[in-house]
Structures are given as structure tokens and as C-alpha cells.
Amino acid sequence: MLPTPATPQRSVALVTLGCARNDVDSEELAGRLADAGWTLVDDADGADVAVVNTCGFVEQAKKDSIDTVLAAADLKEAGRTRAVVAVGCMAERYGKDLAESLPEADAVLGFDSYGDLSSHLEAILHGEKPASHVPRDRRTLLPLAPAERQAARAARIVEPDLPEGLAPASGPRVVRRRLGSGPWAPVKIAAGCDRRCSFCAIPAFRGSFVSRPAGEVLAETQWLAEQGVKEVFLVSENTTSYGKDLGDLRALEALLPRVAAVEGIERVRVSYLQPAEVRPGLLDALTQTPGVVPYFDLSFQHSAPNVLRRMRRFGSTESFLALLEQVRERFPTAGIRSNVIVGFPGETEDDVDELCSFLERARLDVVGVFGYSDEDGTEAATLEGKLPEDVVAARTDRVSRLVEELVAQRAEERLGEVVEVLVESVVDEDGDPHVVGRAAHQGPDVDGETELDLPPGFAVAVGDVVRARVTGVAGADLLAEPVRVTVGA
């Protein structure tokens, strides 16, 4: 049953932090609230309720989430909004404890509150304060065996009738409303994670890995295409595991051409690949399927075997380089990005040297560098060999400076290369259009952008795909001149 409609003309603003998976969650919440009669507004300033979708991944993300809640609370204090509610990963992870330490929030609500969020918000506006949950390990909610999870998932889902034109989303069948108008959108193909990386708390508060059936993914992709989306970004906590609970370890290879074939979709991108799970068939699908961009978001985290074992991960410098060679044998100009953690307990100077050597040889387009910090409830927080904060900071700075240089060098290698640019922004600056988009090797938000140097009389619009030649670089960003344009619908 859908939530009871809210009082007419109630307004709500959703403020989203964190990753693309959180973006999908916010749009699902927006769909539920809009269907219950709430008016969606862009800005928390003046909204009846500001809902902050928090991130709980690392310490800085948690700080940003708290700062955002406090900023919304300031609006409430000034009489410009009536209530502030925290949801999302940090709210789920800390629940009652966060509510007690953050009294500025009118409520801290976990994932189980999403299905009836409208009623919770109504209650808050009437002076009530919904009780926050006591956090639990969400991996216990589904069977341990992946093959048994789909049946358990179906038993827990209540499927409301969907209004015409609205798409199903991840988890229970809910409506989704776009909160932006850009030409790309994430599509969640799975949720949760079964890996036990010693530094990561995500599986405990996101739960066990569950794939979405292909039909749901395709229906949502079609709906997004009807909203003008040209690129879909397939996201999950571990995309390479897609299908293991559906009884098909090659399900992702089968899904990709079907998503790419959806009318109106120009390109498909896949996020978060575990190197140890990348199969030859998946390499082929990502490099040879029309409409699927050769983009590899590979989660290396480190390359020294000693550190990887303590992280409870697989791989080594040589095995990672061999994987990169397989990628480039299939598609020499493929985009490849990763993240690394520096200063992990037990890491030695030799381990850092090995990581730096790997990065120099890997020629990655983008690398995120994170200094290690303890995360509540993780195995790594209990490990011996903790490094002093100043040592972690110094090593992080060393690797970051190296990465900055290497990323610039990799971008320079693309000079003269012809790239396909999805136009995301066209701003008229005194009659001179400033056009920015992303090439196929540039993922949304974090992988740089490409500015197009348009010749006189050459007009483009947001959503167009422009074939262009790279003429300049600035870090990971590119400057390119059009060769031809394929006008979007």
C-alpha cells in the first residue's frame, strides 16, 4: 500500500551527499514523496522539510554530512524551514546514537523508514519525534547463500500499483523522480556486498549482495531514456558480482547489450569492478559491445601483497598490471580509474615504494588517494601496526603528488586522440558558448571533463554527442575541437 497522501502543499527538499548509489536512493525517495502529495523543491531554504541523505563511508564524508544537517538546522532556526531529517548511510549506520549526538535534527531515520517516509515527515511537522532505530548488521536480514536471496527478497517486497509512466527502482517497487535534468543518470543494478574487506563497514549497514532482475533494470533504463537521459551509469557496491544470486555469473555480460539497445540511450557505463572478479568475458563485453563505453573503474586499493592480504583482498602489482594489459590489448585507449588507501596498518616504506612503482607503470586516467583512518566496527580498526597520523599524512601527500603528475602525463598521451564527448553544459558567455562535457573515459563528477572549442557557427545542445579531437590538457581535463556532432533526440 502506498503512503497516505500528505497534507496539500507540503514541500520537501532532498539534499544528497556521497556516491551515485545515494543519488538513486534520493530519487526513489522523491518518487515516493511526490506520489504521496509532497511538492519537491530544489533548495532546503524555504522547504517545509529538509531531508539530508547522508554518507557514512569515511570520516570526511561523515563530517560533511553532519555539517550539512547543521546548515539545514540553521535555516530552521531562522524560520526558513520547519524541520530537518537525516536519512541515508550515516543515519542507518549510527541510528539512535547519531540522533542523541545531533539534537539539531528533528529525526534520524534508517532504511526501514523509507517505505513510509511521508507519514514520518507528517508526524514531525505535527510536533512528534519518531524514534530512531538501534543499528544492526543488515547482512543478517537475508540468507547466507546467495542463491536463496531472490526468494527472500520477493517475500519481503510489497508491490504497489505503479502510476503510468513511472519506473520501478531498486528494492521494493517504488516510483522514481529525477532531481536533476542532466543527460546522464545512475541505475542501481544491485545492492549490498558480500566481500569482507577489513577496512570497510559498508556491508554491515548496506546488507548482503542482491542483484536486481534484468527486467527491472531495463524498465528503469527505458523510463530514464524517455526523460531525456543519454548515458546510464550502472552502479552497485560490487558490480562484478551481478547475477551470482540469480544463478548466472555471466548475467552482467548478457545485460549490457540489452541496456545499450534501449532506444534513446547513447552510451552505457559500468562502475566499481573488483579486479579479482573481472572475467575475460566481461572484458570482452566492456570493450566490444556497441554503446558500452570501454571504461574500467577498478578497485585496486593498493598493490603490495602484504598490505592487500591485511585488507583481506586479492591481487598484487604484477597481477594488476597483467589485467591492465588485457584491457589495453582489447581497447588501447580504454579509460581506467581506481582508488588507493595509503597508511594502512602494517604498511612499510617498501610497500609504499611498490605502490608508487605500480602507479607509474599502470598509466591510469584518474586515481583517488585516501589516507587510512579507523572505521567503527571494522577488522582493520583492531589490527596491530597502526601508523602515526603524521606518517599517514606524509605518505598520502607523497602518493597524491605522484598521482597528480601521472594523471597529467596520461592526459597528455591523449593529445590528438579522437573522443566522443557527451555535452553536459552549454553556457552563453557574451555570445561565445562555453561547452563542457565528458569523453568516454571520463566518468561523472570525479574523472575530469572535456571543454569543446567550437568553430564559428557550430552549435550544440546538452545531450548531443560530439566527436572531437583532443588539442590540450589541464590535469585530467581536456580541450578538444569538434570533428562532427550526432544530435540527440
Side-chain angles (χ1 to χ4, degrees), residues 404 407-409 411-412 473-478:
E404 185 177 357
V407 167
Q409 290 176 4
E412 289 174 358
V473 302
D477 296 334
L478 306 180

Side-chain angles (χ1 to χ4, degrees), residues 235-312:
V235 301
S236 74
E237 280 76 16
N238 179 10
T239 308
T240 36
S241 284
Y242 180 75
K244 72 176 185 179
D245 54 320
L246 299 172
D248 183 4
L249 289 177
R250 300 190 63 182
L252 183 57
E253 291 99 299
L255 177 65
L256 288 173
R258 298 178 67 189
V259 175
V262 172
E263 186 176 355
I265 297 300
E266 298 284 348
R267 62 191 192 189
V268 178
R269 186 181 304 276
V270 178
S271 75
Y272 212 76
L273 307 172
Q274 290 290 345
E277 297 179 20
V278 176
R279 307 165 294 276
L282 182 56
L283 289 176
D284 292 339
L286 289 170
T287 55
Q288 299 171 20
T289 305
V292 175
V293 295
Y295 173 81
F296 292 82
D297 178 14
L298 293 165
S299 175
F300 290 129
Q301 304 300 350
H302 211 285
S303 73
N306 166 61
V307 178
L308 289 168
R309 299 303 174 266
R310 289 172 69 84
M311 289 180 169
R312 295 199 178 277

Side-chain angles (χ1 to χ4, degrees), residues 21-334:
R21 297 183 294 277
N22 255 17
D23 291 336
V24 177
D25 289 348
S26 286
E27 292 196 345
E28 292 176 358
L29 290 176
R32 291 173 183 256
L33 292 172
D35 196 65
W38 290 80
T39 299
L40 303 175
V41 296
D42 295 333
D43 196 337
D45 192 351
D48 287 311
V49 184
V51 176
V52 180
N53 189 353
T54 61
C55 178
F57 180 46
V58 294
E59 200 61 37
Q60 184 59 51
K62 288 184 280 188
K63 181 180 183 303
D64 291 344
S65 294
I66 291 174
D67 289 346
T68 302
V69 172
L70 293 176
D74 288 342
L75 295 176
K76 178 186 172 184
E77 190 71 20
R80 288 149 62 185
T81 190
R82 296 178 56 192
V84 178
V85 177
V87 299
C89 291
M90 188 176 180
E92 172 64 36
R93 184 175 179 184
Y94 295 105
K96 184 172 179 289
D97 290 341
L98 179 62
E100 292 174 353
S101 63
L102 195 62
E104 293 84 356
D106 294 281
V108 172
L109 302 176
F111 297 151
D112 291 334
S113 298
Y114 284 11
D116 199 22
L117 185 61
S118 175
S119 296
H120 287 303
L121 300 189
E122 279 289 337
I124 292 166
L125 289 178
H126 284 91
E128 300 177 26
K129 189 175 180 69
S132 297
H133 66 286
V134 176
R136 56 179 169 170
D137 189 335
R138 295 189 70 87
R139 289 171 292 192
T140 62
L141 300 180
L142 289 171
L144 182 63
E148 299 174 4
R149 291 178 193 162
Q150 290 294 325
R153 170 184 183 270
R156 295 177 64 227
I157 292 175
V158 177
E159 298 191 358
D161 294 330
L162 294 177
E164 185 177 355
L166 295 177
S170 58
R173 290 173 61 86
V174 299
V175 295
R176 173 177 177 178
R177 296 290 178 94
R178 294 207 70 199
L179 295 175
S181 58
W184 75 275
V187 174
K188 196 186 297 184
I189 66 169
C193 185
D194 287 342
R195 299 184 71 88
R196 295 294 183 266
C197 301
S198 63
F199 57 84
C200 185
I202 290 175
F205 61 84
R206 276 290 184 180
S208 299
F209 185 88
V210 180
S211 304
R212 290 182 67 194
E216 288 187 17
V217 176
L218 291 168
E220 188 167 328
T221 300
Q222 182 176 357
W223 177 80
L224 288 168
E226 292 167 356
Q227 311 304 306
V229 169
K230 300 300 177 185
E231 175 183 311
V232 290
F233 193 21
L234 306 185
V235 301
S236 74
E237 280 76 16
N238 179 10
T239 308
T240 36
S241 284
Y242 180 75
K244 72 176 185 179
D245 54 320
L246 299 172
D248 183 4
L249 289 177
R250 300 190 63 182
L252 183 57
E253 291 99 299
L255 177 65
L256 288 173
R258 298 178 67 189
V259 175
V262 172
E263 186 176 355
I265 297 300
E266 298 284 348
R267 62 191 192 189
V268 178
R269 186 181 304 276
V270 178
S271 75
Y272 212 76
L273 307 172
Q274 290 290 345
E277 297 179 20
V278 176
R279 307 165 294 276
L282 182 56
L283 289 176
D284 292 339
L286 289 170
T287 55
Q288 299 171 20
T289 305
V292 175
V293 295
Y295 173 81
F296 292 82
D297 178 14
L298 293 165
S299 175
F300 290 129
Q301 304 300 350
H302 211 285
S303 73
N306 166 61
V307 178
L308 289 168
R309 299 303 174 266
R310 289 172 69 84
M311 289 180 169
R312 295 199 178 277
R313 296 180 64 83
F314 302 96
S316 65
T317 294
E318 296 307 319
S319 68
F320 290 162
L321 290 173
L323 175 59
L324 296 178
E325 184 178 358
Q326 292 179 59
V327 170
R328 290 175 173 137
E329 283 177 350
R330 289 167 168 81
F331 208 103
T333 59

